[in-house]
Amino acid sequence: MLGAALDLFAEHGVGATSYQMIADRLGVTKAAIYHKFKTKEDLVIAVADMELAKLQDAIEEAEEQGCDTQARELLLARVVDHAVEHRRAAHILQFDPVVVRLLSEHRPFQLFLERLYRALTSGQRDPGTDVQLAIVLSAISGTVTHPLAAQRDDRALRSQLLHGARLLLDLPDSGKRRRPRRVSRPQAS
Amino acid sequence: MLGAALDLFAEHGVGATSYQMIADRLGVTKAAIYHKFKTKEDLVIAVADMELAKLQDAIEEAEEQGCDTQARELLLARVVDHAVEHRRAAHILQFDPVVVRLLSEHRPFQLFLERLYRALTSGQRDPGTDVQLAIVLSAISGTVTHPLAAQRDDRALRSQLLHGARLLLDLPDSGKRRRPRRVSRPQAS
DNA sequence: GTCTATAGAATGATAGAC
DNA sequence: GTCTATCATTCTATAGAC
């Protein structure tokens, strides 16, 4: 049910998705959905929460390791993995105006994102680093649903995104993770 | 009027913006808007067209120069300029599901974007390069409205975006354009 | 061009039967 | 939990006066 809502959010935008649409897709009536979620905001919160929860473990791991370079690397890879595997979700969380407003106003989300940002930047938070982070997160979440990349298979996309993110964040490339496979970037060399 | 529509598109999403909202913001009635735009699609097309037109000259310049490296550099800078100066517009054009669908279905937009993509990649179009382009365009359009970068002043944002884009596209940095000013990226060095 | 007025459909949300 | 039925509100779109 949250999955059906997510699909429709991605197709039409959160603000343009009605209870009726979700009910139709599920083959039930609106009332059945209102029984679980009293308001539309509750529903959106539940969807956002479901997706952000998938990064919870990765953040806690990074925090336990003191957010050093290696921990950043690992967390970054998990963020990329999530975005590639749940493309529409990543897109909505970053770019839908309704969700973005909700994330900025709802306290639990504020705290969660603050933790994510701190872990990804090793705690360094200044305007320059914040923008750098915005660039990386926008690149990841925007690319996975971009018409130019929508057809790209998960593995190749993941590889290119990780490479780009490391470039942008000044992290060493193709270091210790996975087998050192040459990625298909035509202009390299 | 197109400006008012654009603002509301950015605030609520295109699909969630009604004629009534636009009319209220302009201090007129719905009927006045229906007189200019028979359907909502016409209105969205007009808004998208208005913004894309701002890149027309830059693309034509690049094409006249044969889309070589220097022409790519210049066009990239113009794309970044547009995104920074018209943040909400850039965001909507890249990420609103209604606009994205329209751009992919409406013929004139297809052709325009194809030209833009060719000019930015010097004509090289393969899956790997396409994804690279998606990363750069997503990074630019996503960052300009990202909460982490919304406060950043135009000049600093422009500078960081150009630097990041050049990294991603394998272009030489801080080459021939403008005074060679050290950008404020804290972790450099 | 902008207004009033309207038509018909869809919206968010609720009450109560099963 | 899911249904039917209903509420007031808002929506897209049109017709016709000024």
Side-chain angles (χ1 to χ4, degrees):
Chain A
M1 164 157 172
L2 293 180
L6 183 64
D7 286 348
L8 287 162
F9 289 168
E11 286 174 39
H12 307 101
V14 173
T17 301
S18 68
Y19 272 58
Q20 189 67 62
M21 294 181 199
I22 304 170
D24 287 348
R25 181 154 302 194
L26 289 173
V28 297
T29 61
K30 288 188 295 183
I33 302 175
Y34 273 106
H35 180 262
K36 285 281 296 179
F37 304 101
K38 302 296 184 190
T39 79
K40 203 172 164 182
E41 188 166 293
D42 288 344
L43 173 59
V44 179
I45 288 177
V47 171
D49 200 55
M50 171 182 68
E51 289 305 321
L52 288 182
K54 293 172 183 168
L55 290 175
Q56 184 104 34
D57 291 351
I59 292 180
E60 281 167 10
E61 264 185 60
E63 287 170 343
E64 282 166 15
Q65 292 175 32
C67 300
D68 62 353
T69 300
Q70 196 176 345
R72 277 173 80 196
E73 279 251 24
L74 211 71
L75 179 54
L76 179 68
R78 293 286 296 269
V79 170
V80 170
D81 282 342
H82 172 266
V84 170
E85 286 163 24
H86 309 90
R87 303 193 183 204
R88 297 149 308 165
H91 183 98
I92 290 164
L93 285 174
Q94 287 279 331
F95 302 125
D96 187 283
V98 175
V99 175
V100 170
R101 188 182 309 130
L102 201 76
L103 292 180
S104 77
E105 290 172 358
H106 201 61
R107 202 63 206 281
F109 289 143
Q110 288 175 7
L111 299 174
F112 184 88
L113 290 181
E114 196 57 37
R115 285 175 62 197
L116 176 62
Y117 296 159
R118 293 199 86 81
L120 279 173
T121 56
S122 301
Q124 183 180 7
R125 296 295 301 282
D126 53 81
T129 310
D130 279 358
V131 171
Q132 225 184 358
L133 191 53
I135 292 176
V136 171
L137 293 177
S138 295
I140 294 171
S141 299
T143 303
V144 290
T145 55
H146 198 290
L148 285 173
Q151 311 290 356
R152 195 75 159 151
D153 70 277
D154 287 3
R155 222 183 83 205
L157 186 54
R158 193 194 110 93
S159 176
Q160 272 191 272
L161 282 175
L162 259 183
H163 174 79
R166 286 187 178 126
L167 265 183
L168 291 168
L169 291 175
D170 224 4
L171 287 169
D173 199 1
S174 71
K176 53 218 68 162
R177 287 172 50 75
R178 316 231 166 180
R179 60 189 180 287
R181 183 170 51 80
R182 201 182 301 107
V183 297
S184 86
R185 281 177 310 109
Q187 80 303 342
S189 118
Chain B
M1 166 154 169
L2 293 180
L6 183 63
D7 286 348
L8 287 163
F9 289 169
E11 286 175 40
H12 307 101
V14 173
T17 302
S18 67
Y19 273 55
Q20 188 67 62
M21 295 181 199
I22 304 171
D24 287 349
R25 181 154 301 194
L26 289 173
V28 297
T29 60
K30 290 184 296 182
I33 303 175
Y34 273 107
H35 180 262
K36 284 282 295 179
F37 303 101
K38 302 296 183 191
T39 79
K40 204 170 164 184
E41 187 167 294
D42 288 343
L43 172 59
V44 178
I45 288 178
V47 171
D49 200 55
M50 171 182 68
E51 290 304 322
L52 288 183
K54 293 171 182 168
L55 290 175
Q56 184 104 34
D57 290 352
I59 292 180
E60 280 167 11
E61 266 185 58
E63 286 170 344
E64 282 166 16
Q65 292 176 31
C67 299
D68 61 353
T69 299
Q70 197 176 342
R72 277 174 78 195
E73 279 251 23
L74 210 73
L75 178 55
L76 179 66
R78 292 287 297 271
V79 170
V80 170
D81 282 342
H82 172 266
V84 171
E85 286 162 24
H86 308 90
R87 303 193 184 204
R88 298 149 307 166
H91 184 98
I92 290 163
L93 284 175
Q94 286 281 330
F95 302 126
D96 188 284
V98 175
V99 176
V100 170
R101 189 182 311 130
L102 201 74
L103 293 180
S104 77
E105 289 171 359
H106 201 62
R107 202 64 207 280
F109 290 142
Q110 288 176 6
L111 299 174
F112 184 88
L113 289 182
E114 195 58 35
R115 285 176 60 198
L116 176 63
Y117 296 159
R118 293 197 86 80
L120 279 173
T121 56
S122 300
Q124 183 180 9
R125 296 294 303 282
D126 53 83
T129 310
D130 280 358
V131 171
Q132 227 184 354
L133 191 53
I135 292 176
V136 171
L137 293 177
S138 295
I140 294 170
S141 299
T143 303
V144 291
T145 56
H146 198 287
L148 285 173
Q151 311 289 357
R152 195 77 158 150
D153 70 278
D154 287 2
R155 222 183 86 206
L157 187 53
R158 193 194 109 93
S159 176
Q160 272 191 270
L161 283 175
L162 259 183
H163 174 79
R166 287 187 178 126
L167 265 183
L168 291 168
L169 290 175
D170 224 3
L171 287 169
D173 199 359
S174 70
K176 53 218 68 160
R177 286 172 49 76
R178 317 230 164 177
R179 61 189 180 286
R181 182 171 52 79
R182 202 182 301 103
V183 298
S184 88
R185 281 178 311 107
Q187 79 303 341
S189 118

